Amino acid sequence: MRGVEERRECGELTPGPGYFWVCTIGGMLSAGTTHVAITPLDVLKVNMQVYPIKYNTISSCFITLLREQGPSAFWRGWATKFFGYGVQGGFRFGLYEYFKKLYSDVLVDHNRSFIFFASSASAEVLANVALCPFEAVKVRVQAQPHFAKGLLDGFPKLYASEGLYGFYRGLVPLWGRNLPFSMIMFSTFEHSVDFLYRNVIHRRKEDCSRVQQLGVTCLAGCAAGSVASLITNPADNIVASLYNRKADSLLLAVKKIGLMNLFTRSLPIRIILVGPVVTLQWLVYDTIKVLSGLPTSGEVLTDKEVNKKV
């Protein structure tokens, strides 16, 4: 495709500006649409985090919200999720690909895991700055029914009441949640793709059909989402607490929630929520890349590279 350099170096296609734009657009569409699709589950998760006594199980949360606020309650905040996570997804995937190429060129004899971690962390720092204002409005809309109806009235109301700081109150814990999540997700995905092709399929990636490649994407995406969701649940609880003024600082939030509750509160629904979302994101993202004439995501080591590392 235009914008992607056609020459090959070391057997791999060298990305050009067009490649990164496709990755950015693919990231925006995949993240935005999948997060909208699971809005009802996200509403349950946020309310269980903010009101753990009232909503101590998934079923009680669902029944109570349905009885008190009606079916529309489960779609509160959908617009902020679509635009907020769409912007985040564009930064996350597009910049990840950019930084991965940049760091790979600079660090020639690199450790692959270090490149994956560094690239995803660099991309996620900027992605969360873009996401943070949308997340601030979304959490309030979902957990405070009388705060605002959605995106259009939520932004000016939050700014009027708390100023610019209100939008970035949870930036540090958001980094605390999403930085390790992104680093673990991308690294797990990359290593899973490599493992599946070399040890399960026993075929080179380019020798597989597009359908087979997308199947590998789904399996690797499922593994990436499951591992990342377990590790980042404490930070997710802190973000919900800070945005809903249940605590005024990070330390107070941790103290109020409790160490054990940081890891266990809303964990089942988070696993149900995050695993399928990450899988769908990778599937949509790679489908867009395939339709654009690009290969699916994930690096696969050659036998020569494996022997060199051994």
Side-chain angles (χ1 to χ4, degrees):
M1 83 176 263
R2 190 175 182 181
V4 178
E5 298 177 22
E6 295 298 335
R7 73 177 186 274
R8 290 180 176 271
E9 296 178 1
C10 300
E12 294 185 357
L13 192 66
T14 303
Y19 175 82
F20 299 123
W21 275 113
V22 170
C23 293
T24 299
I25 294 171
M28 291 178 66
L29 293 177
S30 65
T33 54
T34 53
H35 275 88
V36 168
I38 50 86
T39 297
L41 288 174
D42 193 42
V43 170
L44 293 175
K45 177 182 73 71
V46 169
N47 278 275
M48 289 176 68
Q49 290 173 329
V50 177
Y51 308 110
I53 297 177
K54 183 177 182 179
Y55 307 120
N56 55 3
T57 65
I58 297 175
S59 59
S60 67
C61 184
F62 175 80
I63 294 171
T64 304
L65 283 176
L66 184 63
R67 182 179 64 248
E68 294 180 353
Q69 301 179 33
S72 61
F74 298 102
W75 291 100
R76 296 180 66 89
W78 72 267
T80 54
K81 287 176 68 64
F82 178 76
F83 291 103
Y85 283 95
V87 171
Q88 184 208 32
F91 276 81
R92 171 182 280 177
F93 285 91
L95 288 178
Y96 170 74
E97 296 289 353
Y98 172 78
F99 283 121
K100 185 169 73 170
K101 181 182 183 302
L102 177 65
Y103 295 152
S104 296
D105 290 343
V106 173
L107 306 173
V108 179
D109 296 324
H110 63 272
N111 177 277
R112 294 173 74 238
S113 294
F114 176 78
I115 294 296
F116 300 150
F117 283 141
S119 303
S120 56
S122 300
E124 196 66 25
V125 167
L126 298 176
N128 279 252
V129 173
L131 168 67
C132 203
F134 294 94
E135 184 78 354
V137 175
K138 185 215 75 168
V139 173
R140 286 171 173 81
V141 167
Q142 290 180 339
Q144 302 173 25
H146 303 294
F147 174 77
K149 294 181 179 179
L151 182 65
L152 293 179
D153 59 335
F155 262 90
K157 188 170 183 178
L158 179 58
Y159 182 77
S161 60
E162 299 185 38
L164 187 63
Y165 174 71
F167 292 113
Y168 289 96
R169 175 187 299 276
L171 179 58
V172 173
L174 198 63
W175 276 332
R177 179 189 73 184
N178 290 346
L179 273 172
F181 179 90
S182 183
M183 294 167 69
I184 294 165
M185 181 192 73
F186 278 104
S187 181
T188 302
F189 178 85
E190 296 272 11
H191 285 295
S192 296
V193 168
D194 179 55
F195 175 83
L196 288 169
Y197 280 112
R198 290 197 297 108
N199 299 288
V200 179
I201 299 178
H202 301 293
R203 294 174 63 188
R204 295 190 308 169
K205 181 178 178 180
E206 53 268 30
D207 292 335
C208 296
S209 68
R210 294 303 191 193
V211 173
Q212 290 173 322
Q213 291 182 26
L214 290 174
V216 171
T217 293
C218 285
L219 291 175
C222 183
S226 300
V227 173
S229 63
L230 288 170
I231 295 176
T232 58
N233 194 59
D236 191 53
N237 279 302
I238 293 172
V239 169
S241 179
L242 288 175
Y243 274 141
N244 282 280
R245 306 302 296 273
K246 295 297 179 178
D248 293 326
S249 69
L250 180 63
L251 291 178
L252 287 176
V254 172
K255 183 178 180 180
K256 189 167 185 178
I257 295 171
L259 186 61
M260 184 61 69
N261 288 333
L262 276 176
F263 291 90
T264 59
R265 181 177 294 174
S266 73
L267 180 59
I269 194 170
R270 179 163 168 77
I271 294 175
I272 296 172
L273 188 71
V274 174
V277 167
V278 172
T279 304
L280 284 174
Q281 277 188 27
W282 279 109
L283 177 60
V284 174
Y285 175 66
D286 268 3
T287 299
I288 292 173
K289 290 176 68 175
V290 167
L291 293 176
S292 301
L294 299 174
T296 54
S297 303
E299 295 183 2
V300 182
L301 286 175
T302 64
D303 291 338
K304 181 178 179 180
E305 290 171 327
V306 172
N307 293 331
K308 180 180 178 181
K309 290 183 180 299
V310 173

